[in-house]
Each structure stands twice: as C-alpha cells, then as structure tokens.
Amino acid sequence: MTQAQANIGVVGLAAMGASLSRNLARHGNTVAVYNRHYSRTETLIHDHGQEGRFVPAKTLQEFVASLTKPRTAIIMVKAGDPTDQMIDDLADLMEPGDIIVDAGNAYFKDTIRREKAIRARGLHFVGCGVSGGEQGALLGPSMMPGGTDESWKTLGPILESIAAKVDGEPCVTHIGTDGAGHFVKMVHNGIEYADMQVIAESYDLMRRGLGMEPEAIAQVFEEWNQGDLNSYLVQITAEVLHHTDAATGKPFIDIVTDQAGMKGTGTWTVQTALDLAVPVTGIGEAVFARGLSSSPELRSQAAQEDLKGPQPKAVMADLATDPEARKSFIEDIRQALYASKIVAYAQGFNEMQEGAQVYGWKLDMGAIARIWRGGCIIRAKFLNRISDAYAAGREPGSLLFDPFFKQAVEQAQDSWRRVVARATQAGIPIPVFASSLSYYDGLRSDRLPAALIQGQRDLFGAHTYGRVDQPGAFHTLWAEDKSEIKQD
Ligand code: 6PG
C-alpha cells in the first residue's frame, strides 16, 4: 500500500512541470510526481531527486494514493483534450474536498466549464495562470489562481512558498472564482504581446530608420533598462541583440526568420475584448502584426509586385547622419515606447474591469499589478505605479486618468507624435505606436466623428440617433421630406 505523504502532486513532467516540481520540493513541500511515460519521472528523480522530497509514482492510482488530504494535484499537461482527459482521470480517483489545479494556459471559458463539472462532483477545480516560462517555474513564477476560497486555504501557502518575491511579498494572490485566474493570465499575455511589439517597433526605427547596428541598439536598450522602462522584456531584448550567431558570425537577429509565432493567448485576449466591447487596440495590433509577419505568400507577392513606398534610410537621413539629431530621436522613441506601453496596460486593465463585471468576479486590480511585479514575463518597474494607481480601492476608470500616468503621457506626447509622424513618412510600420496614439486622441476628443456614423446608419438602416439637445431616439425621413420623428 502506498503511504499518503505528499502535500502536493504534479502530473506532467515536461519542462514546465519538472521545473515546478523542483521548485516545490526545494521549498519544503513533499511532491508526488507522475508522468505518462515513467522514464521522465525517473530522469527527474535521477537528476534532481536530492533537491527535496519527491514521491515518484508509476501509475495515476499510486500518485493519488501518495497524496495527503485534501489531495492537491497540479496538472501540467498539454492544453485541450489531454487536460480534459487528465482532469477526468484524477476526479475518478479523488474524493470530495480534493483539489485539481490546471496550471496550463487554458482558455478561461474552458476553465469555467471544467470548474462547474468538477464542483458538481464535490471536488475543487482551480484554473491557475502561471507566468515566467521554465526559469520562472523553477526559480519563482508569478501565479494567478482562480477557484474557491476553500481551495485557496490549502493551495495558497503552497503557491506562496514557490512564487517570486518582490519586497518580501509573494507574487501570487487568489484572483477570484472559477475562470478568473486564467482570464487574468490571458490579459497578461495580451499585454505581453503589445509590450514585445512596441519594443520591436523601437528596434525597427533604430535599425532601418537610423541605420544602427544591433550591438549599438542593444546598448540603447541597456540604457533604457536603467530608467522608467526597466523591465524583463527590455533586458532580454538587449541580450538577444548582443548575441552573435556562432555558425555565421553574424548578429543573431539577422539570421532569424522574421515570422513571429503565437500559441493563441493574445488572440483570445482580443476576441474576448471584442465580446466585451473594450478597445484593446495595442494588443490587437500586436496580434495582427505577428499575423502579417507570418504571411509569407502575401509578403513575397508584395515583394514581387514591388509595392512602392519611401526608403526609410533615405527619408531619415537627416537624423541618421547628425549625432545630436539622432540622439534626440532615440529619446523620442523611448518616450513613444513608454507612452504606448502605458496605453496597452490601461487597455488591458480596462478589459479586466469589464470582464469582472460580466463574469461576476471581484478583481483586485492593485493586487494583480503587485503580483506582476516579479516572476512573470511582463515584470517591470512601472507596475509599482499601477498598483499605486489602484491602491486602497481606487478605480481610476482608465490608468490614463491616474495623475502619475496622465503626466507621464503628457510629457511623452510631443516625442510620441514626432515618432509616429517620422515613421509614417519613412514607411516604417508602427502599428502599436500609431494605434495607441489614436486611442489616446480618441479618448480626449470632445467630439468624435461617430456622429457622422450615426447619421449614415440612420440614413441607410433607420437605426436612429440621439440628439445633443434632448433625450430619446430620433429618425430622419431621409427619402421623404427629411423631417425628423421621435421614436417611442
Ligand atoms: C508566460 C508566457 C507564456 C507564453 C509564452 C509564449 O507568461 O510565461 O506568456 O505563458 O506561453 O510567452 O506565448 P506565444 O507563443 O503566444 O508567444
């Protein structure tokens, strides 16, 4: 008979699962481990067994039997059907009160569905977003668990033991019920896409516009990393740009195909935002930019057809050749990056605010910003400011109204506008810089051309419009005498 001795178990020992198991064991947990092919379990125990207390299991039955009650198992298998299958298999072997945790990048609506089904069987189901990649899983990730308060009582201390720590605070908090954790992780990934894209746009402006070499650009990012833009993504950007390809001796960046991949979380963020009618233009443009990059047929046809446009270097020659002008344009790019990044976060937080309303969660925005300060991919210095903006239950509506960010964008905007204008003249695509600026201008416009759209809608479809001078809905008899009628 297997003795129940492990306070936590991990199913699925590929890169992320193995790293998370080791992190758990290193922090005093006794970790039951199971993998469909036992060889992976053996490798983990052989290579890292001395790092803590592991209880290897050959079968799922043995795995469940080795867990103390309430049995708590973290699933780290492939998203989709394999996850559903594993949840079912575990639920069959577990008892009411036990906890199943899905720590993959699941779609939050799947998590809501799974939680409901598992709850009906008397067990707890926790959809838990985990960010930080393999290194994060091993050394301290940022974690976003959903599920019941009761499951958090057992799971909370375990997750706190392995999370990244910032100022002594663990980067994990109970996000909310059912799919809340995976929803917040999805938005995290959406912001990650936008953040990566604005960094890429900055690089492109320096490379193709100013004609700078990767090494010189790496140094710029290193410098930026010392200030307001201090973040993991800026830091790794410098690392990628410094790297030389061993086979060719060329800058690594030049030997990588320029087609960005994606696994779908950014797309979910945009699809969800469309359903919620929340504009997340920065994230949307970042997803579409990856899509455009990965359309080889279209791009090669464009090259064949020789689509005409300006040559960036020629148009930006004045900046490239004058050291002072170049320096000041690089500073403009830094400001444009900062402002666009603020817009992307503002939009992502709006999506979470709206999602909380629609899906019935009580999301603590300040706490979410705090757990993103460490461990996760978008960890950045300025998340402290976001957490301040939402501190003590403050709800600024948009981060752009918070005094700190309002001032930051105001300060950045002349630069931001110059960058968008110069890039557009030079023919360098800057979808997130430009759309974020348009969003900002849209927000601050006292009168938008939406009035014209209402007029058009009323003319062709009798969709009615509101008037600025009285309440109610109105329709103009466009095809008749153009008199106006008030709708009931
Ligand atoms: C994280 C990341 C991670 C994501 C990768 C790849 O927070 O650790 O968001 O969850 O899977 O970044 O995402 P794409 O393949 O979609 O770029």
Side-chain angles (χ1 to χ4, degrees), residues 105 130-133 185 188-189 192-193 261-265 290 377:
N105 264 337
V130 178
S131 179
K185 174 64 186 3
H188 164 284
N189 279 29
E192 173 185 306
Y193 274 52
M262 52 183 160
K263 293 198 201 77
T265 47
R290 289 197 192 186
I377 303 295

